[in-house]
Amino acid sequence: MRFSQLKDKEELFNLYAQLAHLPLMMSSTNLSAARSWIRVAEHFHHPTILLAYQTSLRLLFHHVATLPPLPQHRTVFKDLTSSLAVDAFSACLCDHSPRDAVVLLEQGRGVFWSQLTRLRSPLDDVIASDPRGRMLADEFTQQTLLIRTALNSPGPDQHDRVCRLNVELETLVTRIRELPGLSGFLLPPLFSDLQQAAREGPVIIVSASEYGCDALVVLVDRPNPVHIPLSITKEGVRELSSELGTLTVRAKSMDVTRDLGVFLRELWDEVVSPIMNFLQTVLPSQSRIWWCPTAEFTLLPLHAAGPYRKGQQNLANMYISSYTPTLTALIRARRHAPTHSASSRKLFVGIGQAKAKGENELVSVGAELASIEQRIDGLATFTHIEGQESCIARVAGELGKNEWVHLACHGIPNRNQPFKSAFALHDGHFTIERIIRCELENPEFAYLSACHTTVGDEDSLDEVMHLASAMQFAGFRSVIGTMWAVDDAQTNKITSVFYENMINERGRLDYTRAALALNRTLTMKKLADVPFDQRILYVHLGA
């Protein structure tokens, strides 16, 4: 129906409002209609704008739930979610609804990871609910096993098989939601749930949309997130990202320390300083903070920002930064891990590939792994894999049984087909598609000493599809990744000092020290001879 045929504008919005009451099983046509509702409500500045976003994200959640989480559906996820989450975030802030902003942003980001997580959901609450709970939990476990098996079994009928199994899973989920206290099973979390991500330190969401740039600081002891408007525009964020890309390319052939300092000062002035001005009023120095960047902000080294002026502190001297792709991912990373006896040692695998086919030789890989093995001697059972041994099947198997992993090899991002992003091994590419199929026993910590491991889809940044997030989804609670190209000549110096700082006061390896260890490593004077760009490219994700 054309808008010009409608005599009454309110009649149009009454029709749109019916979308908010649709049954859960619906078509993508209804989702398109909800997106149309957003556009029209924005045009007329209509008060239903927030309801339009809420409805669109609700329909998106349930539509995606019926799609098989297959790589070939990446385009579907991308098209459905494009800018929806950050636009909803901005709309909520304009409506002075910061709690809704957090909830809607969480629903609309990392959609593919959210769908895969459904297949690995803990079922303790289901089992404990009532006598039917254990039976339904067993059925759920069996159904998700069937889906994972189908996902790992390519063939002409794979799509239809997974679709059928997924619909059966949705029916089972509906039955579980009928159990006492489980009406929210696998539904998008409430703000009170998401707020738990901040229990060990504030989570800072930074968002860029065409409507503006904003930060929200989520604190565990405040009922509402704190809104900090940013003066920079979305185009300004893009310009910073482009400038950084130019600098990191130049760094391969010249010293860019001065220009990088100017860039980080601009990042501080435009984005980070207003946030720190608030945090310093509520948070002691050297506390941990978590960045949750969206859109183009995901490409910027927020952790390294600072005035870089004599007598003034940079962020790294004030707080210990980590990143998280979503609040749910951070909550999941902190879930209780299996305990070990006091005498047990970590199972640690060091994986190196210096001579991957078609890639430049990495001359420091052997020394890097040897240095780590020496540094942690007596603290872990260390398995050293290099050369022909570092093949895809062997590496996948070692990930499954080791708690800690250090990967030293080429990282190969694919910004158009992120599932093809990979680590270059002896017999080919160990891709994201293969990583997420690994079944891991008790993964704790992964150090990715490879290039570009936090670089994702250039057209869908909010899907957070990169090597580091894949390792986190696979189960690693704490991950060290890289934002741009790593200089092989510098890695050994950095990793040696890093692992020295991973030993806690009781003389044990502790994955929860990773953010602190990285912060100490990259601010130590003993690494002053390492080029500046190489010191700040490392980031910590997770717990």
PDB file of all heavy atoms in Angstrom, residues 63 71 248 297 328 519 539:
ATOM      1  N   HIS A  63      13.250 -15.060  13.861  1.00  0.00           N
ATOM      2  CA  HIS A  63      13.477 -15.488  12.475  1.00  0.00           C
ATOM      3  C   HIS A  63      14.816 -16.196  12.352  1.00  0.00           C
ATOM      4  O   HIS A  63      14.917 -17.283  11.755  1.00  0.00           O
ATOM      5  CB  HIS A  63      13.427 -14.286  11.532  1.00  0.00           C
ATOM      6  CG  HIS A  63      13.736 -14.628  10.108  1.00  0.00           C
ATOM      7  ND1 HIS A  63      12.936 -15.460   9.353  1.00  0.00           N
ATOM      8  CD2 HIS A  63      14.774 -14.268   9.301  1.00  0.00           C
ATOM      9  CE1 HIS A  63      13.459 -15.597   8.142  1.00  0.00           C
ATOM     10  NE2 HIS A  63      14.576 -14.886   8.089  1.00  0.00           N
ATOM     11  N   PRO A  71      27.592 -21.351   7.473  1.00  0.00           N
ATOM     12  CA  PRO A  71      28.346 -20.238   6.895  1.00  0.00           C
ATOM     13  C   PRO A  71      27.666 -19.592   5.695  1.00  0.00           C
ATOM     14  O   PRO A  71      27.760 -18.386   5.494  1.00  0.00           O
ATOM     15  CB  PRO A  71      29.671 -20.891   6.505  1.00  0.00           C
ATOM     16  CG  PRO A  71      29.827 -22.019   7.459  1.00  0.00           C
ATOM     17  CD  PRO A  71      28.437 -22.547   7.675  1.00  0.00           C
ATOM     18  N   THR A 248      49.526   1.925  10.102  1.00  0.00           N
ATOM     19  CA  THR A 248      50.021   0.565  10.330  1.00  0.00           C
ATOM     20  C   THR A 248      50.681  -0.014   9.090  1.00  0.00           C
ATOM     21  O   THR A 248      51.587  -0.844   9.199  1.00  0.00           O
ATOM     22  CB  THR A 248      48.887  -0.353  10.807  1.00  0.00           C
ATOM     23  OG1 THR A 248      47.804  -0.331   9.865  1.00  0.00           O
ATOM     24  CG2 THR A 248      48.373   0.094  12.172  1.00  0.00           C
ATOM     25  N   PHE A 297      33.989   1.667  15.669  1.00  0.00           N
ATOM     26  CA  PHE A 297      34.819   1.709  16.880  1.00  0.00           C
ATOM     27  C   PHE A 297      35.583   0.402  17.100  1.00  0.00           C
ATOM     28  O   PHE A 297      36.592   0.378  17.806  1.00  0.00           O
ATOM     29  CB  PHE A 297      33.963   2.011  18.113  1.00  0.00           C
ATOM     30  CG  PHE A 297      33.675   3.482  18.307  1.00  0.00           C
ATOM     31  CD1 PHE A 297      32.371   3.947  18.290  1.00  0.00           C
ATOM     32  CD2 PHE A 297      34.702   4.394  18.513  1.00  0.00           C
ATOM     33  CE1 PHE A 297      32.090   5.295  18.472  1.00  0.00           C
ATOM     34  CE2 PHE A 297      34.431   5.751  18.694  1.00  0.00           C
ATOM     35  CZ  PHE A 297      33.127   6.197  18.683  1.00  0.00           C
ATOM     36  N   THR A 328      27.050 -10.640  26.884  1.00  0.00           N
ATOM     37  CA  THR A 328      26.785 -12.063  27.105  1.00  0.00           C
ATOM     38  C   THR A 328      28.059 -12.884  26.976  1.00  0.00           C
ATOM     39  O   THR A 328      28.281 -13.833  27.746  1.00  0.00           O
ATOM     40  CB  THR A 328      25.737 -12.567  26.102  1.00  0.00           C
ATOM     41  OG1 THR A 328      24.544 -11.785  26.230  1.00  0.00           O
ATOM     42  CG2 THR A 328      25.394 -14.025  26.348  1.00  0.00           C
ATOM     43  N   ASN A 519      48.998  -5.573  30.081  1.00  0.00           N
ATOM     44  CA  ASN A 519      49.201  -4.167  30.432  1.00  0.00           C
ATOM     45  C   ASN A 519      50.616  -3.926  30.954  1.00  0.00           C
ATOM     46  O   ASN A 519      51.294  -2.976  30.549  1.00  0.00           O
ATOM     47  CB  ASN A 519      48.166  -3.753  31.483  1.00  0.00           C
ATOM     48  CG  ASN A 519      48.304  -2.317  31.943  1.00  0.00           C
ATOM     49  OD1 ASN A 519      49.090  -2.010  32.824  1.00  0.00           O
ATOM     50  ND2 ASN A 519      47.545  -1.421  31.325  1.00  0.00           N
ATOM     51  N   VAL A 539      45.650  -7.046  22.144  1.00  0.00           N
ATOM     52  CA  VAL A 539      44.470  -6.752  22.953  1.00  0.00           C
ATOM     53  C   VAL A 539      44.043  -8.002  23.697  1.00  0.00           C
ATOM     54  O   VAL A 539      44.305  -9.129  23.259  1.00  0.00           O
ATOM     55  CB  VAL A 539      43.290  -6.229  22.102  1.00  0.00           C
ATOM     56  CG1 VAL A 539      43.620  -4.883  21.492  1.00  0.00           C
ATOM     57  CG2 VAL A 539      42.909  -7.228  21.011  1.00  0.00           C
TER      58      VAL A 539
END
